[in-house]
Amino acid sequence: MGLVVIYHCGKLGFPQNIVQIIVKNIPIQVKGDYKTMTKVLSDIEISQAATVKPIIEIAESIGLTIDDIDLYGSTKAKVHLDVLEKFTDRPQGKYIDVTAITPTPLGEGKSTTAIGLTQGLGHIGKRAIACVRQPSMGPTFGIKGGAAGGGYSQIIPMEDFNLHLTGDIHAISAAHNLVAAAIDARLFHEFRMTDERLAQAGLTRLNIDPYNIAWSRVVDVNDRALRNVTIGLGGRMDGFPRMGGYDITVASEIMAILALSTSLKDMRERFSKMVIGLDTRGKPLTAHDLQVDGAVFVLMMEALMPNLMQTLEGQAAFVHAGPFANIAHGNSSIIADQIALKLGDYVITESGFGADIGMEKFFNIKCRYSGLVPDAVVLVATIRALKMHGGGPDVVPGRVLAEEYTTENLELLAQGIENLTAHIENVNRYGIPTVVAINRFPTDTDAEVALLQKLALEAGAEQAILADHWAKGGAGAAELAEAVVSACEKPSDFKFLYPLEWSIKEKIEKIAIDMYGADGVSYEPLANRQIKQFEAAGFGNLPICMAKTHLSMSHDPTLKGRPTGFTVPIREVRVSAGAGFVYPLLGTMRTMPGLSSRPAYMQVDYDFDTGKIVGLF
């Protein structure tokens, strides 16, 4: 392969010794002034040039043996659940959640920071393990691209990470759609059969109300045309005609259950509780009533084992479960965290989108069911996003950034800092120390960084650390790692935002007012009816999982900064009884995304000359 010149825009470049460790079989030349670009390595090029260790070596580095894992090729494996029992007497490591301010549509590098911090902890001699979600192929081929981190802080091989991995998402699709097929089969047969014939088949009449079915079908692509569909069309033998629709697979309750289950038995019980709709008298019907819960469990048994991969610098990384954060609870699996905490000194887990969404759900849903208490929170902030929140021009994927984001503008940054302040206050509300990680972009100036650090400390952060892990890997996050180690030793007083005994509306309003800054909450008539039904059915004591936009602390994506004077509208309320939460839909929030005019899949292909996938980023 020919000469590759590594280039990083701005005055911070790649240290030559680090690049040479990471990139194999490529002659490296580093320009001293970084002013001339021969080639910018994409994330996938960095991943494909890396030396990938055999996954058994990664397993052994955290105390596992070949008997503790099932190999999926040489670079990934599933970890047996009984390792929890094997290491039950081992003390637990420190537990850190990585979250962020309200992002721009481009994202602010939260996953990159989680991986960079893991590598940074390794750089200072700590055994660290990352626990992150498996990405949906919807965003991967849609607007977002890959989610393995970026630059020199990512999980490898990124093709495996971003595509099929070990097939967990496919298993969820099959299991979820089996339930959907069971619903329509039961409707069809009950419509055609007498009670006597049903009894002869060993069945009782469920009287499913076709107008109150709460179970859509799923597919793991962004396909807006499937949001609302008519099914069962054709002749008498083609089904019971009714309106239906599709959600994206990662919004499935089965995905949420995978992430929240603490054992195989727990997962089995949760599947039996899944509510698929109502009967004609208004009584909830479950997967157990359909007698499909056992088959769902069998399809999902292997998926509960966490997937083991590695960072660019050889730390272990558990990649497991991928519930959407703005629809579901947005966190990787409890079981992966539990195992990692027995195997590592520090466990870095990431919660989706901003702290008002993923972190709130991490605390109030995931921590309730896991019994785990975090030691620190890392809040990722970028100058780019804070300028947007200060009134900067729209940030649109695929368009060149406006000048305000690429030149120094202290006034705009200062005006946008209120978004960071709100998120710091929200973290501190839970009694957990906060470290702000400033994910630096090449155009950020020293004056802007200094101002952001000053204002973050004034807002209540323990420390505000400049991190350059994208360009420098673990070395660029070493100072952040030291700050996190220090924060984990600080006293904490973790508390939930609300008690489960509160009514559904009280819990919704607590989140909206305290976390979002709303004046109050309004409810559509449908939402009021649903809340009444759920409380009558015994679901009133479940935690709340708000489905809202990630582009604002409010329900309205156009409201930037720290919005005030708004009321949160609740359009609809659904229950995931098996997962164990009630989820209100705020504003126009949808459970099936659509594709943009130029989706990421247009760049993805296979290069027959090199034998490599290209175009993932």
Side-chain angles (χ1 to χ4, degrees):
M1 192 168 181
L3 175 69
V4 175
V5 178
I6 306 297
Y7 171 82
H8 177 51
C9 301
K11 56 188 177 179
L12 293 177
F14 300 106
Q16 188 167 1
N17 62 332
I18 290 180
V19 174
Q20 287 176 329
I21 290 171
I22 293 172
V23 182
K24 67 174 183 178
N25 300 326
I26 301 178
I28 296 297
Q29 175 183 331
V30 182
K31 293 290 186 184
D33 59 3
Y34 307 102
K35 298 297 184 184
T36 316
M37 177 175 66
T38 302
K39 180 176 176 60
V40 177
L41 291 184
S42 67
D43 291 347
I44 193 169
E45 288 172 318
I46 292 170
S47 173
Q48 290 173 343
T51 300
V52 184
K53 295 180 180 180
I55 200 65
I56 184 61
E57 290 186 20
I58 302 299
E60 289 170 348
S61 74
I62 54 175
L64 300 177
T65 70
I66 190 65
D67 294 329
D68 296 320
I69 62 176
D70 289 341
L71 295 173
Y72 280 70
S74 62
T75 60
K76 55 188 182 290
K78 277 193 168 291
V79 178
H80 296 171
L81 302 181
D82 59 10
V83 300
L84 272 174
E85 185 177 349
K86 179 178 178 179
F87 296 106
T88 187
D89 295 328
R90 183 177 288 185
Q92 200 145 281
K94 298 294 186 180
Y95 195 32
I96 300 102
D97 179 50
V98 176
T99 184
I101 62 172
T102 306
T104 69
L106 304 178
E108 306 316 306
K110 185 159 43 58
S111 299
T112 305
T113 302
I115 305 309
L117 174 57
T118 303
Q119 295 178 167
L121 286 162
H123 189 82
I124 64 172
K126 306 295 184 182
R127 180 188 284 184
I129 301 174
C131 290
V132 298
R133 289 173 295 164
Q134 178 184 353
S136 162
M137 282 184 279
T140 295
F141 291 123
I143 200 170
K144 184 177 180 181
Y152 287 88
S153 292
Q154 57 174 303
I155 293 173
I156 57 174
M158 76 168 293
E159 302 97 317
D160 292 358
F161 181 97
N162 286 308
L163 300 177
H164 304 285
L165 198 52
T166 59
D168 294 347
I169 291 181
H170 300 311
I172 292 165
S173 294
H176 185 107
N177 290 332
L178 176 63
V179 177
I183 294 168
D184 285 294
R186 194 58 170 261
L187 273 172
F188 173 75
H189 291 299
E190 286 193 13
F191 182 74
R192 297 174 63 248
M193 297 169 69
T194 64
D195 289 347
E196 182 180 6
R197 287 184 62 196
L198 284 170
Q200 289 172 352
L203 303 173
T204 57
R205 191 173 294 278
L206 296 181
N207 289 312
I208 300 170
D209 184 351
Y211 299 103
N212 275 299
I213 292 173
W215 197 269
S216 299
R217 284 165 168 79
V218 297
V219 63
D220 196 37
V221 294
N222 295 353
D223 194 346
R224 62 169 53 85
L226 292 177
R227 288 171 180 164
N228 299 284
V229 298
T230 302
I231 60 175
L233 298 180
R236 290 184 56 196
M237 302 304 294
D238 293 319
F240 190 94
R242 66 178 183 88
M243 290 295 296
Y246 278 77
D247 295 332
I248 195 163
T249 297
V250 288
S252 167
E253 182 174 359
I254 293 176
M255 172 63 90
I257 288 173
L258 176 69
L260 293 174
S261 295
T262 56
S263 66
L264 283 169
K265 182 176 286 188
D266 180 39
M267 186 169 71
R268 176 67 181 83
E269 292 173 355
R270 288 174 179 272
F271 287 150
S272 70
K273 297 175 183 176
M274 295 186 302
V275 173
I276 59 92
L278 305 177
D279 68 14
T280 52
R281 295 169 297 172
K283 174 190 170 186
L285 293 170
T286 66
H288 181 69
D289 292 324
L290 281 173
Q291 300 177 47
V292 72
D293 46 336
V296 168
F297 174 70
V298 169
L299 283 171
M300 291 297 300
M301 286 176 63
E302 189 172 285
L304 190 60
M305 292 190 291
N307 305 299
L308 179 64
M309 296 187 74
Q310 63 190 281
T311 72
L312 268 168
E313 297 181 9
Q315 285 81 24
F318 285 113
V319 183
H320 197 217
F324 260 24
N326 53 356
I327 299 171
H329 63 84
N331 285 269
S332 60
S333 76
I334 286 174
I335 202 81
D337 289 3
Q338 289 175 327
I339 292 173
L341 285 164
K342 290 296 184 181
L343 301 176
D345 300 324
Y346 292 84
V347 172
I348 314 302
T349 192
E350 174 205 354
S351 54
F353 292 128
D356 56 315
I357 303 181
M359 185 203 72
E360 183 270 313
K361 296 172 182 179
F362 171 73
F363 287 151
N364 291 309
I365 299 175
K366 184 176 179 180
C367 289
R368 282 188 196 274
Y369 288 122
S370 69
L372 300 172
V373 176
D375 295 286
V377 166
V378 174
L379 184 65
V380 180
T382 65
I383 288 167
R384 176 180 71 188
L386 291 172
K387 286 179 177 179
M388 180 195 72
H389 288 296
D394 289 343
V395 176
V396 181
R399 294 185 190 173
V400 176
L401 285 172
E403 184 180 357
E404 287 86 344
Y405 300 113
T406 56
T407 58
E408 185 173 287
N409 193 321
L410 297 176
E411 181 181 358
L412 205 57
L413 174 60
Q415 290 171 350
I417 209 75
E418 60 184 4
N419 185 267
L420 174 64
T421 299
H423 286 298
I424 292 172
E425 291 174 1
N426 280 341
V427 179
N428 291 342
R429 193 186 305 277
Y430 293 91
I432 302 298
T434 313
V435 175
V436 172
I438 304 171
N439 186 24
R440 187 169 194 169
F441 285 85
T443 52
D444 298 341
T445 69
D446 290 342
E448 288 173 330
V449 171
L451 177 60
L452 175 48
Q453 288 176 313
K454 174 180 178 291
L455 296 176
L457 295 176
E458 290 177 359
E462 293 286 337
Q463 295 190 61
I465 305 297
L466 178 65
D468 199 21
H469 45 278
W470 183 89
K472 299 181 180 180
E479 186 181 357
L480 176 62
E482 295 282 10
V484 168
V485 169
S486 175
C488 286
E489 301 305 321
K490 299 276 185 181
S492 62
D493 181 27
F494 178 64
K495 47 189 172 292
F496 296 116
L497 187 64
Y498 52 79
L500 294 180
E501 293 74 25
W502 283 9
S503 70
I504 290 175
K505 284 190 174 181
E506 285 176 316
K507 288 179 281 195
I508 289 173
E509 288 157 18
K510 181 70 171 176
I511 296 170
I513 293 169
D514 284 12
M515 294 296 295
Y516 309 158
D519 288 345
V521 177
S522 64
Y523 301 89
E524 293 291 328
L526 173 62
N528 275 321
R529 290 197 303 272
Q530 290 166 328
I531 290 171
K532 191 173 181 179
Q533 284 176 333
F534 295 153
E535 289 185 331
F539 302 134
N541 63 345
L542 295 177
I544 303 299
C545 183
M546 302 280 254
K548 69 179 282 287
T549 179
H550 61 288
L551 297 174
S552 170
M553 293 191 73
S554 75
H555 65 284
D556 183 348
T558 66
L559 300 179
K560 305 300 183 183
R562 188 175 192 171
T564 59
F566 66 93
T567 298
V568 171
I570 306 297
R571 179 180 96 239
E572 183 181 346
V573 180
R574 302 177 185 177
V575 65
S576 290
F581 54 74
V582 171
Y583 67 107
L585 273 62
L586 281 58
T588 58
M589 190 66 221
R590 296 186 181 276
T591 53
M592 168 58 86
L595 289 169
S596 64
S597 60
R598 188 168 182 81
Y601 65 73
M602 291 183 176
Q603 320 304 323
V604 179
D605 207 336
Y606 181 78
D607 187 332
F608 283 92
D609 293 330
T610 63
K612 293 179 179 179
I613 293 171
V614 296
L616 286 173
F617 59 92

